[in-house]
Amino acid sequence: MKNILVPCDFSKASEQALRFAIEIAALSQGEVRVLHVINLTPDYIQTLETNPYYVDSMSILAELKRQAADDFDELMQKVDTGNVPVKLTIEQGLISHAILKSIHQHNADLVVMATNGASGLSEILVGSNTEKIVRSSPVPVFAVHKNQKAEQIKNIVFPTTIELNKGALIEKVKALQAFFNARLYLLHVKTPESRQKDHELKMALENFARFYDLENYLAVIKQAKTEEEGIIRFARQLEYSIIAMSTHGHTGLTHLMLGSVAENVVNHCPEAVWTYTAHEA
C-alpha cells in the first residue's frame, strides 16, 4: 500500500479520507496522490440553457483548476502530512472514469475514498461514485465514512462463504492483516434461508482457515435477516475494526438483479470497508 490514490472534492469527508490515506502511507513509507476531477459538462449545459450566448469553456476550466489548486493548498495547511509526500493531480471528465484512468496512469495499488453512502432509488439506479469504483477497480479500495485512525486498527472482519476458491482474495486479506497486525474474524452470516447447522458451519470455517494457512483468527457464526445486516451489526461490536470484503464487480442488468453485499455494506456501514474485486472461479 505504497502508492495511494485519494479522489478528493475538498469536502470534510474527503479530508477524513485523505488523513486516513496519509496514516497508511506513513506506515508503509509510501506516498499519496490527491485526485480532483472537474466535470464541466453539467454546469456548462446548465449555463447554455439559461444563456444563449457563447461561453468560453476553456476559461472556465482554467479557473476551476486554479480554484482546485488553491483548495488543495488550503487543505494541506490543515492536514499533518508528516514525511509523507502528497501530490495533486487534476483531471477533467466523469469522476469514475478519471479515477480508473489515474489508477493505471500512476500505478496506484490502493484507492482511499470518502463516501456518504446512498439509499433508495438513487442507490439502485445511480449509486455513489465510491460504489462504482468498488465494483470496477483493479486494485483494493478503502471506503471511509468517518474519521478513523489507521494506526488504531486491531480487528478485521472478513465475511466469507466456505467455498475454497478464494486464493487471490485470501492472499490480499492476509497481507492486509499483516500490515495492521490485526486479528482476523472469519464471519459467516446465517440467514433464514440457510439449512446448515451452526456446528457444521463452524467446522467448515475452521477447515477454510487451515486450507489457507490463516493465523490469529477467530471463526464466528452470526444469524441475521440479511448478510449485510449481520456484517454491520457484528463490526459495530468490535472496537478499532474494519471490514474486508470481496465484490464480483457485476454491472448493468446483472448488478440490478444480483446486487452486491459488499457494495451495500460500503453504502451503509460506518466502519471503514476494504474491498477487492474477485475475478477467479
Side-chain angles (χ1 to χ4, degrees), residues 4-119:
I4 304 174
L5 183 69
V6 183
C8 180
D9 61 2
F10 305 113
S11 63
K12 183 65 176 178
S14 289
E15 179 183 332
Q16 291 174 346
L18 176 59
R19 292 180 187 275
F20 187 80
I22 289 172
E23 290 172 5
I24 292 177
L27 294 172
S28 67
Q29 298 182 333
E31 64 179 33
V32 173
R33 183 173 298 273
V34 172
L35 171 66
H36 180 72
V37 182
I38 298 172
N39 185 2
L40 199 57
T41 304
D43 292 335
Y44 185 52
I45 291 175
Q46 184 178 1
T47 303
L48 288 180
E49 289 176 345
T50 58
N51 184 354
Y53 299 105
Y54 174 74
V55 178
D56 187 351
S57 60
M58 295 305 295
S59 296
I60 295 173
L61 180 60
E63 177 58 33
L64 290 175
K65 286 184 175 180
R66 283 193 294 269
Q67 182 62 55
D70 290 343
D71 290 341
F72 176 74
D73 290 340
E74 183 178 339
L75 180 59
M76 288 298 94
Q77 293 177 9
K78 296 190 294 182
V79 175
D80 181 9
T81 62
N83 295 322
V84 174
V86 181
K87 304 173 184 178
L88 172 66
T89 294
I90 301 173
E91 296 283 356
Q92 180 188 2
L94 296 175
I95 294 175
S96 56
H97 292 176
I99 294 171
L100 292 174
K101 173 186 173 183
S102 293
I103 290 172
H104 293 286
Q105 193 171 44
H106 301 292
N107 296 315
D109 46 35
L110 177 68
V111 177
V112 177
M113 294 187 70
T115 178
N116 292 321
S119 60

Side-chain angles (χ1 to χ4, degrees), residues 186 201-211 217-219:
L186 289 178
L201 291 169
K202 190 72 173 288
M203 185 179 300
L205 283 180
E206 293 290 349
N207 290 335
F208 181 97
R210 283 193 290 270
F211 181 83
Y217 74 90
L218 181 66

Side-chain angles (χ1 to χ4, degrees), residues 108-140:
D109 46 35
L110 177 68
V111 177
V112 177
M113 294 187 70
T115 178
N116 292 321
S119 60
L121 190 62
S122 63
E123 179 178 320
I124 296 173
L125 298 180
V126 181
S128 65
N129 285 304
T130 304
E131 181 183 334
K132 294 175 185 177
I133 298 305
V134 163
R135 195 184 310 152
S136 55
S137 173
V139 300

Side-chain angles (χ1 to χ4, degrees), residues 142-159:
F142 252 122
V144 180
H145 284 261
K146 62 182 181 180
N147 188 16
Q148 193 165 0
K149 297 289 187 182
E151 61 185 14
Q152 293 180 338
I153 293 171
K154 300 300 179 186
N155 301 301
I156 298 175
V157 179
F158 178 45

